[in-house]
Amino acid sequence: MVLRPHSLMTIPAETARVAKAAHRKPSLCMQIRDTLGPVFTDEDFAPLFSHRGQPATSPARLALVLILQYAEGLTDRQAAEQVRARLDWKYALALELTDPGFDFSVLSEFRDRLITGAAEQRLLTALLTQLREHNLLTPGGDARTDSTHILSAARTLNRLENLIETLRHALEALTTAEPDWLRSWVPDEWFDRYGPRPDAYRLPKTETKRRALATQTGADGQQLWDMITTTPEKAYLAQLPALQTLRQVWVQQFYRDRHGKIRPRDPKDQGTPPATLRLDTPHDPQARTSVKGDLLWRGYRAHLSETCDPDTPHVITHVATTPAPVPDLGMTTTIHQDLTEAALLPRTHLLDTGYVDGQTLLTSRRRGVDLVGPLRPDTSWQAQAGKGFDITGFALDFDQNTATCPQGKASSSWISHARPTGYTEIHIRFPARDCRACLVRTDCTRSKTRGRQVMARPRAEHELVTAARAEQATPQWRRRYHARAGVEGTISQAVRAFGLRRTRYIGLAKTHLQLVLTAIAINLVRIDAWLREVPHGKTRITRFQALRTAA
């Protein structure tokens, strides 16, 4: 499709007259239009279109429709109907009253175009640019970040259901691609075995029968793969996504025994892949399983960062989407890099424990960001005992690469190890002869033959961690950190009012687009509330809880 830019700067006079007459108090979309203007321009999306083809619907209008769709929780059909019938939407989109709108399928096509062109970030960037121009967003202030789980749109399957469904999914794809060839050789029992969708209540109940069914499924899947790969004229079928998924699941879940038979792997076997690689459903191959505390989910993880200065609107400035098992700690530097590129790096960044360690404190300090978040406590038994024999009780000389224990004995070795993750650890050992003769040995080490061993970080990290742990024990730090709790309200708003908990789409890219659109919709709602002078929300407490402060 070819883009012929339209100007959204001028609202048709009749549309403006009728819309304002019908809305004595401007609706959200009219308020945003009057304050920020059209927000997007067609030129923002020009790289997504070719130079020939039929004319495309204005991408600037489609982008705004997508955001209003998420702001009001509408389906594609409902959003397209609002464009045709709603006066305030026509006002925001600068459409004539007689404009018939467009078919709802255009919205899906435009989302695909955004994802193909990796342009979803353009939507958030364009809005943030408008907010900065209208002094509704000030870089360099305070910000806060937190993550939440996103459930996959695909049905949750157990291990046996996943195996059967993966094979059934592959057979469905082959039925579409080569129905005659498939029917010519497929065993009759497969139609009963893999025709219906697997449900837990239909599967065997005993472990022996379930394992036998898993073994049979593995053999059938291998037979299907062998039929494709040994038939030269059908070898191209192996490249179908459903067949590639089948191959990957079979490698992860089965092995060949010494007799050449396909056997299911034991879940405790070393060959079983970790959660970051394991495919748990053929319908959303990028969804992964993760555990956080008592919560187990299959899908993705969302990271939302927002400004939190008291005298400005609280605006979401960054959205990141990752597979579920990716830890929060790995995202701190990524968030800072993206905010630096957007010229929105905060002066103070409030985070929870999962985002903070010595290395992130150091890299953030070098970027000019004051990272405020509780560090994980020292979990060693010496620290728990509280008798002064944890790492803080040792004098570390980073210039001479030596350490002195609380009893004045010097270390015998100091070795630095660079980990594949990028961390550097310093392993310090003390002479066994000194430790064996020490009167407080039982308070320092439990080894009966070796001397005390201490693990430390490089000097800069060690000093930052020591200072940060001391500071976070003060009342001043706790009062400062109290502002981080507000981001939990943002996540609650996103989940309860905007349906963030479960993705509407399949795949990481589409899920990220949904999160970006949700963040922009939240921003518009908050800007509208700010312009109406609605105060920031406060943490709600029950009347019973309020009795304590009233006393």
Side-chain angles (χ1 to χ4, degrees), residues 85 255 278 382 512:
Y255 71 97
R278 187 177 65 245
Q382 294 94 338
H512 180 60

Side-chain angles (χ1 to χ4, degrees), residues 159 162-163 166 217-219 221-222 225 243-256 262-266 269-274 277-279:
R159 187 186 183 200
N162 180 40
L163 297 178
T166 299
T217 304
Q222 189 62 46
W225 182 261
L243 271 297
Q244 287 295 308
T245 299
L246 173 75
R247 183 59 176 165
Q248 189 172 352
V249 170
W250 256 235
V251 169
Q252 293 179 354
Q253 300 293 347
F254 296 98
Y255 71 97
R256 287 187 183 273
I262 300 297
R263 302 293 184 188
R265 296 184 186 273
D266 190 296
D269 184 20
Q270 291 183 350
T272 302
L277 300 177
R278 187 177 65 245
L279 297 185

Side-chain angles (χ1 to χ4, degrees), residues 202-271:
R202 293 178 179 173
L203 298 178
K205 306 303 179 184
T206 66
E207 183 61 30
T208 301
K209 291 182 178 180
R210 292 173 71 89
R211 188 170 182 83
L213 180 55
T215 302
Q216 180 65 61
T217 304
D220 293 345
Q222 189 62 46
Q223 180 183 353
L224 175 63
W225 182 261
D226 291 342
M227 285 294 296
I228 292 173
T229 55
T230 58
T231 307
E233 63 273 17
K234 304 300 180 184
Y236 77 95
L237 294 173
Q239 302 305 316
L240 293 176
L243 271 297
Q244 287 295 308
T245 299
L246 173 75
R247 183 59 176 165
Q248 189 172 352
V249 170
W250 256 235
V251 169
Q252 293 179 354
Q253 300 293 347
F254 296 98
Y255 71 97
R256 287 187 183 273
D257 63 13
R258 60 180 181 174
H259 303 294
K261 294 184 178 181
I262 300 297
R263 302 293 184 188
R265 296 184 186 273
D266 190 296
K268 299 179 181 180
D269 184 20
Q270 291 183 350

Side-chain angles (χ1 to χ4, degrees), residues 95-138:
L95 291 173
E96 297 284 354
L97 291 176
T98 56
D99 191 290
F102 48 77
D103 187 80
F104 72 95
S105 63
V106 173
L107 294 175
S108 176
E109 295 171 359
F110 183 61
R111 285 195 298 269
D112 290 340
R113 195 177 293 274
L114 288 172
I115 292 171
T116 302
E120 55 270 21
Q121 188 60 34
R122 294 173 186 237
L123 302 173
L124 183 58
T125 299
L127 176 65
L128 296 178
T129 299
Q130 291 290 331
L131 295 181
R132 292 178 64 173
E133 292 178 356
H134 290 81
N135 297 320
L136 294 170
L137 173 61
T138 304

